[in-house]
Amino acid sequence: MYIEVEKDVRVFVQDLNPGPSSKTIFFVHGWPLNHNMFQYQFNVLPQYGYRCISMDIRGNGQSDKPWGGYSYDRLADDIFVVLEQLKLEDIILLGFSVGGALTIRYMSRYEGRHVSKLALVDAVSPSFVKAPDSPYGIPKEQANALISQMYANLPKFLSDLSVMFFNRNKGSEMLNWFINLGYQSASYALIKILQAASNEDVTKDLSQIHVPTAIFHGIHDQLIPYQSAQLTQQQINGSQLFPLNNSGHGSPIDQSDDLNRLLMQFINTP
């Protein structure tokens, strides 16, 4: 289905296992991907009665691809419109990578409306770029170089990124799948979202989260170091950190069985 989030901008939403359900999980994907990155969750979780709803962030996947509107605030607003339109309540909001940053901004910007629990998976938090209060990010110059690479040679950029994404050799088929997900996005959208990640952070948003929060993070993450997850956990009151010992940045794929099990445990804990 499609939901209009602002005039002439529609985002694609997939709803698996709708109807009476004990729990609804709303998935927000990472960059440079789309909702299909969660297929190893969608293959399993509905079997246990979970309703799994996911959206393609504007500019990505099957969503409209406007030229503008890629700030953290606007993308968080898109999440809010979708949750409102679907009349969802007491959901588990799950954000991966940049989607993690967007869900954090959403929780702060909308005071956690519609959400009973938050799950952050390899989240870009507190920041993507190194800052005084978030020292584990990459240098600003490196972020600018990544953006320049996308302008110059997007296929090589996605190919190089695919190798860094996983902890283990997943084979050429998996890497090609990852790259093809990136090709389903508008290149200007990928550039603008990475620019937003480079210029924004969610440090001040973390203290505004007041629901049970689980942080799942690969200890071999080459893109968002595990220390960033530890710092995030320290700043969200009462949150729990679950290290994924065999994962890089792509833990929903690297360690899908363990992530699914831990996620269900978190959801089912009173």
Side-chain angles (χ1 to χ4, degrees), residues 40-41 122 164-170 174 218 220-221 244 246-259:
Y40 298 101
Q41 284 65 58
D122 303 316
M164 296 179 62
F165 195 79
F166 302 106
N167 179 42
R168 292 160 290 184
N169 183 0
K170 290 288 188 179
M174 182 67 80
H220 303 291
D221 195 328
L244 296 166
N246 295 314
S247 289
H249 189 62
S251 58
I253 300 155
D254 263 340
Q255 210 170 334
S256 59
D257 289 347
D258 290 330
L259 176 61

Side-chain angles (χ1 to χ4, degrees), residues 25-30 37-38 79 92-104 117-124 214-216 252 263:
I25 311 171
F26 189 93
F27 294 80
V28 183
H29 67 80
M37 66 155 290
F38 293 116
I79 295 171
I92 295 88
L93 181 60
L94 184 150
F96 168 78
S97 191
V98 169
L102 300 181
T103 59
I104 291 168
K117 290 186 177 184
L118 177 66
L120 302 173
V121 184
D122 303 316
V124 178
I215 301 164
F216 307 96
L263 178 62

Side-chain angles (χ1 to χ4, degrees), residues 26 33 144 156 197 254:
F26 189 93
L33 306 169
N144 291 338
K156 184 178 188 305
D254 263 340

